[in-house]
Amino acid sequence: MTKRKTAERREPVFGQPPGNQPPGNKARIDENVPRRAGRSRVTRKRRAPVALLLYWGMIATVWTGMAGAGVIAYQATKLPPIDALAVPKRPPNIAILDETGVLLANRGDTGGAAVRIVDLPPYLPKAFVAIEDRRFYSHLGIDPQGILRALIRNITGGGMVQGGSTLTQQLAKNLFLTQERTVSRKIQEAILALWLEHKYSKNQILELYLNRVYFGSGAYGVEAAAQKYFGHGARSVTLPEAAVLAGLMKAPARLAPNRNPAGASERASQVIAAMVQEGFITDAMAMLALAHPAQAVRDRNASSVNYAADFVMDTLDDTIGAINEDIAVSTTLSVSLQAAAEKALTEELDRKGAAFGVGQGALVALAPDGAVKALVGGRNYADSQFDRAASAKRQPGSAFKAFVYLAALEAGLTPDSVREDAPINVKGWQPENYSRDYFGPVTLTKALALSLNTVAVRLGLEVGPKAIVRVAHRLGIASDLSANPSIALGTSEVTPLEIVTAYAAFANGGIGVQPQIIAKVKTASGKLLYQRKGASNGRVIDPYHVAMMNTMMQETLLTGTARKGAVPGWQAAGKTGTSQDWRDAWFIGYTSHLVAAVWLGNDDNSPTKKASGGNLPVEIWSRFMRAAHQGVTPQPLPGGIWRDYSPDGVPMADNNGWPSLPGLFGAPATSQTRQVATPPAPQPENLPIQHNDAARAASPVYDSGAPVPPADIPNAGVPGQKRRAQSGKQNFFDSLFGG
């Protein structure tokens, strides 16, 4: 009875209909089946999400791997075939020579000579490994741990804090790739790093790295860097110096020890700490290195010849284009003249620069055919690499008057023509002489020699500012010039190289030239790549006017504003210049042998302490020119010295009806002077004029570039009156010959 009731209470097995239960399972069905079935349902529910996660994770991994392989394969196709890759040769060297073959400088990204790692102090390469790639000797070119560490630090740091490139990757980038920071470049970098690791040993890779990496300040390779910063080779580098060099890899420009000693020292201490941590040096060695940090030496290559070498490099690209092998550039420079120019400029500035409030200067000298013989772009190349001779545009002041007077001669005047030195008022503009004294009627020769501003302004109005601009551009001034009345006083800015090039036409008889510094370029094997050919811009001044300009500008050195500038035994001519508020002081002078320009002033354009063209610039010019003419046979100026007398010795009249009076020359004509009974009619339109139609600068006082008849030029006050200077005490010559 009991069994029957039990059977009646029995429940069916899951999945089978009642009455079809297997025999002999009564106890298992009654006691176990329902309980175990419940646990199976819970287990399946718990295990299902984990299994799905693992499944899809494996699928994603496979697809990600395939995608990554595809990207790598694609980037690999953009590289040259791996078997065709070879470590590139070192960049070419450019040897810059003077006119006799003397080496002046080396340029190019060659750095120092390659050094073997076995010849270096052991701590030098280890310093790079410690700070740049601690697992260098264990990875295969790519360091996953380093990449992960860099990624974490960049995320937590909120930006690019650390990079994950190994030394091998850095070498690959330097040898084969650009410096762009893209994912594509990083993938190519990794591929090339693996190839390098397969091709070369670890020490070979490290040696290549040390000889190719950039250390800042133009130094490529550890040898060049050691010479640049510490004055000796890499084989003699000390531990503190090695730490500085390794620390430069983070930011070569910012951490250069000659520019940022504090930053370089701080980074070096981090390198030393890393070396201790890696066991490369002992604590005692670290303490000693930290107690005696490395000191960068002052640049020993501060010679002014570097200004000239930089100018050579600036023009070399336009001369021969890309450079693929070592070359030798023969220049027109003279090592002796370069040294004389540097000595004259720096020593005079050291002696008198502070007294005159002058901080900088430039000197450039050309042969009359345009060949650059000396170029000094500043007081000290180590302090400033800016080339003031070729790149600084400053107001030339009265040195620009040479073009004003030449325009007047081409309009029909002569050196003996007379114009009024008196106060002048041009619609509110009242230019004054340096001394504020006026001489009344004067010849053009005397007016130019004494640098009388009122006469220059009158001539400028008479011929028209446009004519002056055309003359200046024709002779070699390349800068834009404002065609307004103030152009007569040199208010438009030019470079020293420009103005000395324009003056060369006076020194060579009237031929326009272009400045040339490269004479010849050859490869190391002797193949000729470039040869300078004699070329000019043709005649830009009529010979008759050349003689007239020689007459007037020679008087500047004899009795005018440049009396200290004589060159014994030589005919010399030139013009002083002082810009407004004493900001610029110039002298440009020439002989038949050499043309030279001197500029003095301050880089911030602040006023000097009354440095004028007639004092310090003339002294520097004279000192240089005397040295430059030693041992050279004197020759007269081409075109000679002009005299305009009729056959009976009576001065002739000029084309404008002004009386022609005897100038400052009282002596009769000699073999070096020229007697002309009837001067030829001026024909400036037949000269090869190079027009420049640059827009005129707006002038608040006068807005026309057209000529003004002499009778219409306004005066102020009584002609011929003298008005004494109102400010400052001046001796007679200073007040008379300010420049």
Side-chain angles (χ1 to χ4, degrees), residues 451-473:
S451 198
L452 302 179
N453 289 337
T454 64
V455 175
V457 172
R458 281 186 166 84
L459 291 176
L461 294 176
E462 190 172 327
V463 301
K466 288 183 178 179
I468 299 171
V469 170
R470 286 195 297 269
V471 167
H473 283 158

Side-chain angles (χ1 to χ4, degrees), residues 158-520:
M160 288 298 296
V161 177
Q162 183 176 0
S165 296
T166 64
L167 286 176
T168 313
Q169 288 176 271
Q170 293 179 42
L171 177 62
K173 177 181 66 176
N174 279 281
L175 290 179
F176 305 111
L177 302 173
T178 65
Q179 300 299 315
E180 62 178 344
R181 309 183 84 178
T182 63
V183 174
S184 174
R185 202 268 295 158
K186 293 295 290 186
I187 295 173
Q188 293 174 351
E189 178 185 291
I191 296 171
L192 291 170
L194 293 173
W195 177 80
L196 286 171
E197 291 277 351
H198 172 73
K199 186 78 173 177
Y200 300 98
S201 69
K202 288 289 185 178
N203 281 344
Q204 287 177 320
I205 291 173
L206 189 54
E207 184 175 294
L208 283 169
Y209 177 86
L210 293 174
N211 282 298
R212 296 304 183 91
V213 74
Y214 182 59
F215 286 84
S217 299
Y220 287 81
V222 69
E223 176 69 15
Q227 293 284 357
K228 176 72 176 181
Y229 296 126
F230 306 120
H232 55 71
R235 295 173 178 82
S236 304
V237 164
T238 65
L239 176 57
E241 293 170 347
V244 169
L245 294 176
L248 283 170
M249 298 301 96
K250 182 178 181 180
R254 181 167 57 85
L255 296 176
N258 60 347
R259 298 180 180 178
N260 183 10
S265 180
E266 180 181 355
R267 178 63 174 170
S269 65
Q270 298 173 8
V271 175
I272 292 173
M275 295 179 74
V276 172
Q277 186 176 355
E278 295 300 312
F280 293 153
I281 59 175
T282 64
D283 290 336
M285 295 172 66
M287 292 178 62
L288 184 62
L290 292 173
H292 300 87
Q295 299 292 328
V297 298
R298 183 177 177 84
D299 194 345
R300 299 179 304 168
N301 196 18
S303 168
S304 67
V305 75
N306 286 285
Y307 290 112
D310 289 347
F311 185 66
V312 170
M313 294 300 297
D314 290 342
T315 57
L316 191 59
D317 286 344
D318 295 333
T319 303
I320 63 172
I323 301 170
N324 300 316
E325 56 184 316
D326 291 354
I327 61 172
V329 181
S330 298
T331 69
T332 60
L333 294 164
S334 165
V335 66
S336 60
L337 293 184
Q338 183 71 29
E342 178 182 356
K343 186 176 182 180
L345 181 69
T346 57
E347 289 188 0
E348 290 298 322
L349 284 180
D350 289 343
R351 289 196 308 119
K352 299 181 179 180
F356 281 100
V358 173
Q360 276 295 349
L363 191 157
V364 57
L366 272 62
D369 65 353
V372 179
K373 294 300 179 182
L375 188 149
V376 181
R379 191 170 184 173
N380 187 291
Y381 186 82
D383 293 337
S384 172
Q385 290 81 51
F386 178 63
D387 185 357
R388 296 156 189 84
S391 301
K393 290 191 174 184
R394 307 295 292 244
Q395 289 186 351
S398 295
F400 196 83
K401 290 177 181 175
F403 312 118
V404 178
Y405 279 74
L406 177 57
L409 298 182
E410 291 179 349
L413 278 66
T414 74
D416 285 344
S417 297
V418 174
R419 291 297 180 266
E420 194 75 26
D421 176 33
I424 184 172
N425 188 319
V426 184
K427 296 185 179 180
W429 179 47
Q430 301 182 49
E432 298 177 319
N433 290 336
Y434 171 85
S435 64
R436 299 184 183 176
D437 289 339
Y438 303 93
F439 295 87
V442 293
T443 64
L444 299 193
T445 300
K446 181 176 181 179
L448 184 59
L450 301 184
S451 198
L452 302 179
N453 289 337
T454 64
V455 175
V457 172
R458 281 186 166 84
L459 291 176
L461 294 176
E462 190 172 327
V463 301
K466 288 183 178 179
I468 299 171
V469 170
R470 286 195 297 269
V471 167
H473 283 158
R474 191 174 79 226
L475 268 62
I477 299 295
S479 297
D480 289 337
L481 303 172
S482 299
N484 55 46
S486 67
I487 190 71
L489 302 184
T491 53
S492 290
E493 296 177 337
V494 299
T495 68
L497 183 60
E498 279 182 284
I499 200 164
V500 78
T501 300
Y503 268 65
F506 299 125
N508 64 28
I511 305 301
V513 301
Q514 295 179 357
Q516 298 285 335
I517 197 169
I518 298 177
K520 184 189 306 181

Side-chain angles (χ1 to χ4, degrees), residues 438-715:
Y438 303 93
F439 295 87
V442 293
T443 64
L444 299 193
T445 300
K446 181 176 181 179
L448 184 59
L450 301 184
S451 198
L452 302 179
N453 289 337
T454 64
V455 175
V457 172
R458 281 186 166 84
L459 291 176
L461 294 176
E462 190 172 327
V463 301
K466 288 183 178 179
I468 299 171
V469 170
R470 286 195 297 269
V471 167
H473 283 158
R474 191 174 79 226
L475 268 62
I477 299 295
S479 297
D480 289 337
L481 303 172
S482 299
N484 55 46
S486 67
I487 190 71
L489 302 184
T491 53
S492 290
E493 296 177 337
V494 299
T495 68
L497 183 60
E498 279 182 284
I499 200 164
V500 78
T501 300
Y503 268 65
F506 299 125
N508 64 28
I511 305 301
V513 301
Q514 295 179 357
Q516 298 285 335
I517 197 169
I518 298 177
K520 184 189 306 181
V521 181
K522 285 186 175 182
T523 66
S525 60
K527 179 182 177 181
L528 183 65
L529 301 179
Y530 170 80
Q531 176 77 53
R532 180 192 176 200
K533 298 179 180 179
S536 72
N537 294 338
R539 177 161 295 282
V540 294
I541 311 175
D542 188 278
Y544 187 68
H545 297 140
V546 172
M548 291 180 174
M549 293 302 298
N550 287 345
T551 297
M552 293 189 288
M553 288 200 285
Q554 179 180 247
E555 199 65 23
T556 302
L557 279 78
L558 297 177
T559 62
T561 55
R563 297 179 312 283
K564 300 177 182 178
V567 181
W570 288 81
Q571 285 185 341
K575 186 69 189 75
T576 57
T578 309
S579 70
Q580 188 176 13
D581 297 328
W582 314 89
R583 299 178 189 277
D584 306 277
W586 298 76
F587 183 68
I588 301 97
Y590 60 93
T591 66
S592 59
H593 175 60
L594 205 62
V595 192
V598 175
W599 167 84
L600 300 178
N602 295 308
D603 285 340
D604 61 1
N605 205 31
S606 60
T608 66
K609 297 177 182 178
K610 295 190 177 182
S612 70
N615 46 49
L616 196 52
V618 170
E619 295 176 18
I620 294 172
W621 183 90
S622 178
R623 177 173 175 175
F624 166 71
M625 293 291 275
R626 287 169 184 252
H629 286 75
Q630 286 185 354
V632 182
T633 303
Q635 296 291 332
L637 289 171
I641 301 300
W642 177 90
R643 283 305 311 164
D644 190 8
Y645 280 101
S646 63
D648 58 0
V650 178
M652 297 177 62
D654 64 21
N655 294 344
N656 288 309
W658 285 77
S660 187
L661 304 177
L664 298 179
F665 299 102
T670 66
S671 60
Q672 293 182 2
T673 63
R674 181 177 180 179
Q675 282 193 358
V676 182
T678 305
Q683 296 178 332
E685 66 277 4
N686 294 330
L687 297 177
I689 297 177
Q690 299 178 0
H691 294 285
N692 187 316
D693 295 327
R696 295 194 308 271
S699 171
V701 296
Y702 196 83
D703 195 33
S704 173
V708 178
D712 294 340
I713 296 176
N715 288 320

Side-chain angles (χ1 to χ4, degrees), residues 26-41:
K26 174 184 175 182
R28 180 174 62 83
I29 293 172
D30 290 345
E31 298 174 5
N32 300 326
V33 171
R35 186 166 56 250
R36 289 183 178 177
R39 284 201 302 269
S40 178
R41 287 196 302 270

